[in-house]
Amino acid sequence: MALQEEKQAQPFVDNFDEDEAEKSFLLSKPTCLIIFGKPGSGKKTLARKLAQMWKCIFIEALEVIEMNIHEETECGLKCQELLWRGQSIPEELVTEMILKKLESPEVAHFGYVLSGFPSLSEEYMTVAQQIEKIKNLKLKPDFLINIKCSDFDLCQRISGQRQHPDSGQVYQRQEWDPNATEKHKKEKNQHEEENEEDEEQEEETEEDQLQMSEFLHQLVQRPEDILENAEERVGTYKDIMLRPLEDLMAEQDCQYLIELDGNEQPDDLFIVNRNDLWCSCCFHEQDELFQALSSFKAISPRYRWRRSRWGQACPVALKEGDIKRGNPDLAVSFLGRMYLLSSLEALQTFLLNPRPYLLPPMPIPPCKVLVFGPPFSGRTTICNLIAHKYKGKV
């Protein structure tokens, strides 16, 4: 009777109430990213593509200046007046516009992808002061993306860039140099099989080459793309920027720090980074994976699928004593929870019978402990005690 009275006294609580879910989303922080890299490594191109994919606000010096001029803000009118006089826009004004944009209402809702800040110019603020501004942002960055590239490869690539004076479009060496174009074409043909789709792509590339040949003689080399100037910019970056950025990245949680190979093509670089972000964010409240699975075969109108207790780790691998990150494309639902499997093999095994991977003893991520010290300090004794307490192996 006492148990019945206790049960009746407890009110029925719906843990999957839509109102609570909406409130949780409205109070959640949007995804924010910062991209670092040497001058000319492709930060702006990658940032623009990521902003389009994640529906974030793209923030970069030139982008912010153009936006303020277009919207005729107070800062925009100052910039326009300076440009009409033939003067450069001071670093103080550019920094002010970037920081204002980072605190704007649309950024508070959509998040941001920041590129080009901190900047190499220390006219207004030193690199250390700019990094301190990043640390004190109201919306701190969730992900730091570092594009790594060797000095030689980067300088060769920058010196091979040419710009069309009328459109402002920048072309890489393999796009305007006939020798580099043929070499790039041969390498592409070696990796691709011949089929109808490839033939259509070849026809399109031939048309592009014909259009390119019409204004090929108009392309010019910008002063900053001259080899000596490129080497100087990269050297300046290493002298004043590299060490503070390394300290900042060392403070970041390693699972939210992504390093990319700057020698990859922009599209390949974007795909790799997108996959890394997808795996890292697959359990973020705003992630599309949750949105897709939460509406699939819902148990009740207000029911929301829950994540498994192992997050993005594969339960099959954990049972075998290994830690492997699951693939969002191999996500399955079971008893109202979502599980990510690391491979097709693991997926098939889990689908056949998930019980062995979920029943006690529950799979837990293996913990590895290293005990060291001077001779006769009791290392062996401590190791044996720890192993006995947590059922481990010495």
Side-chain angles (χ1 to χ4, degrees):
M1 290 294 293
L3 289 172
Q4 288 180 357
E5 288 177 3
E6 284 180 9
K7 287 182 180 178
Q8 290 175 358
Q10 292 177 356
F12 177 74
V13 179
D14 184 4
N15 294 327
F16 306 102
D17 187 9
E18 288 182 0
D19 296 334
E20 290 297 323
E22 184 178 348
K23 182 181 176 182
S24 176
F25 171 76
L26 292 173
L27 293 173
S28 64
K29 177 183 176 295
T31 304
C32 303
L33 306 95
I34 295 186
I35 300 180
F36 302 123
K38 296 174 184 175
S41 59
K43 300 186 295 292
K44 187 175 178 180
T45 305
L46 179 62
R48 193 185 296 276
K49 291 192 175 191
L50 285 175
Q52 291 173 356
M53 186 191 76
W54 288 94
K55 305 296 186 291
C56 296
I57 306 298
F58 172 50
I59 302 179
E60 191 263 343
L62 184 60
E63 192 81 9
V64 171
I65 292 169
E66 290 177 351
M67 183 206 67
N68 277 271
I69 292 174
H70 178 71
E71 294 179 357
E72 296 183 351
T73 62
E74 184 180 349
C75 293
L77 294 173
K78 288 180 184 177
C79 293
Q80 198 167 24
E81 187 178 351
L82 289 168
L83 292 173
W84 278 342
R85 292 177 184 173
Q87 300 175 2
S88 60
I89 300 171
E91 195 69 26
E92 181 180 357
L93 187 56
V94 176
T95 305
E96 182 185 346
M97 288 187 289
I98 290 174
L99 294 176
K100 275 187 180 178
K101 188 65 178 175
L102 287 168
E103 296 172 358
S104 62
E106 62 268 26
V107 167
H109 177 60
F110 292 103
Y112 62 82
V113 181
L114 178 62
S115 171
F117 189 85
S119 66
L120 281 173
S121 175
E122 293 187 310
E123 293 178 7
Y124 173 56
M125 296 171 68
T126 63
V127 172
Q129 290 173 335
Q130 294 178 64
I131 290 176
E132 197 62 33
K133 284 284 184 183
I134 292 173
K135 291 180 180 179
N136 294 328
L137 286 173
K138 188 177 179 182
L139 291 176
K140 293 180 173 57
D142 300 298
F143 291 91
L144 301 183
I145 302 171
N146 184 29
I147 303 176
K148 302 177 75 174
C149 187
S150 67
D151 297 350
F152 176 79
D153 293 337
L154 184 59
C155 292
Q156 289 298 317
R157 188 171 67 194
I158 294 173
S159 62
Q161 293 180 157
R162 297 293 184 272
Q163 185 181 41
H164 191 263
D166 295 335
S167 64
Q169 180 69 31
V170 177
Y171 297 92
Q172 300 296 329
R173 185 182 295 278
Q174 62 264 24
E175 294 176 311
W176 62 267
D177 189 349
N179 297 327
T181 305
E182 288 179 9
K183 184 181 177 183
H184 180 68
K185 207 172 176 183
K186 286 177 183 177
E187 290 175 356
K188 190 177 179 182
N189 291 335
Q190 287 175 358
H191 294 288
E192 292 181 355
E193 295 179 358
E194 295 180 357
N195 53 35
E196 293 179 0
E197 293 180 0
D198 292 338
E199 287 176 5
E200 289 177 4
Q201 289 177 358
E202 284 177 6
E203 288 176 4
E204 290 176 1
T205 53
E206 285 176 4
E207 289 177 4
D208 294 338
Q209 287 175 4
L210 288 172
Q211 293 176 359
M212 279 283 298
S213 60
E214 294 176 3
F215 59 86
L216 196 62
H217 62 280
Q218 300 177 6
L219 300 180
V220 296
Q221 187 177 29
R222 298 175 297 181
E224 61 265 28
D225 292 340
I226 297 171
L227 184 59
E228 290 78 10
N229 295 339
E231 289 173 348
E232 185 180 350
R233 286 166 61 205
V234 172
T236 305
Y237 174 89
K238 292 173 69 177
D239 291 339
I240 68 172
M241 182 82 76
L242 189 58
R243 185 57 185 271
L245 285 183
E246 285 178 346
D247 293 339
L248 176 64
M249 289 186 284
E251 296 173 8
Q252 181 77 0
D253 188 345
C254 60
Q255 63 179 331
Y256 301 117
L257 173 63
I258 300 172
E259 294 190 330
L260 303 175
D261 183 6
N263 288 321
E264 297 288 342
Q265 293 296 322
D267 291 337
D268 297 335
L269 197 65
F270 169 67
I271 290 169
V272 171
N273 187 69
R274 180 185 64 184
N275 293 338
D276 288 341
L277 284 173
W278 182 269
C279 291
S280 299
C281 290
C282 61
F283 287 105
H284 195 275
E285 291 297 332
Q286 301 179 39
D287 193 82
E288 294 179 3
L289 175 66
F290 267 85
Q291 294 175 8
L293 290 180
S294 62
S295 60
F296 180 70
K297 293 184 180 178
I299 295 173
S300 64
R302 290 190 175 188
Y303 186 82
R304 293 174 62 201
W305 292 104
R306 293 168 290 169
R307 68 193 70 181
S308 75
R309 68 180 63 195
W310 305 291
Q312 54 192 341
C314 173
V316 176
L318 286 175
K319 191 71 173 181
E320 297 169 357
D322 194 9
I323 301 177
K324 287 186 181 178
R325 179 173 290 178
N327 187 347
D329 295 331
L330 303 177
V332 295
S333 60
F334 179 68
L335 296 180
R337 295 185 184 272
M338 284 184 287
Y339 300 90
L340 296 188
L341 286 307
S342 57
S343 64
L344 285 172
E345 243 177 62
L347 175 63
Q348 291 168 359
T349 308
F350 188 81
L351 289 176
L352 285 174
N353 185 7
R355 293 173 187 265
Y357 306 102
L358 306 179
L359 288 170
M362 307 299 289
I364 56 174
C367 179
K368 299 174 183 178
V369 180
L370 172 64
V371 179
F372 59 94
F376 306 103
S377 61
R379 291 172 300 181
T380 306
T381 306
I382 291 174
C383 285
N384 290 328
L385 288 171
I386 292 173
H388 177 73
K389 174 73 175 176
Y390 295 102
K391 297 179 182 179
K393 294 181 181 179
V394 179

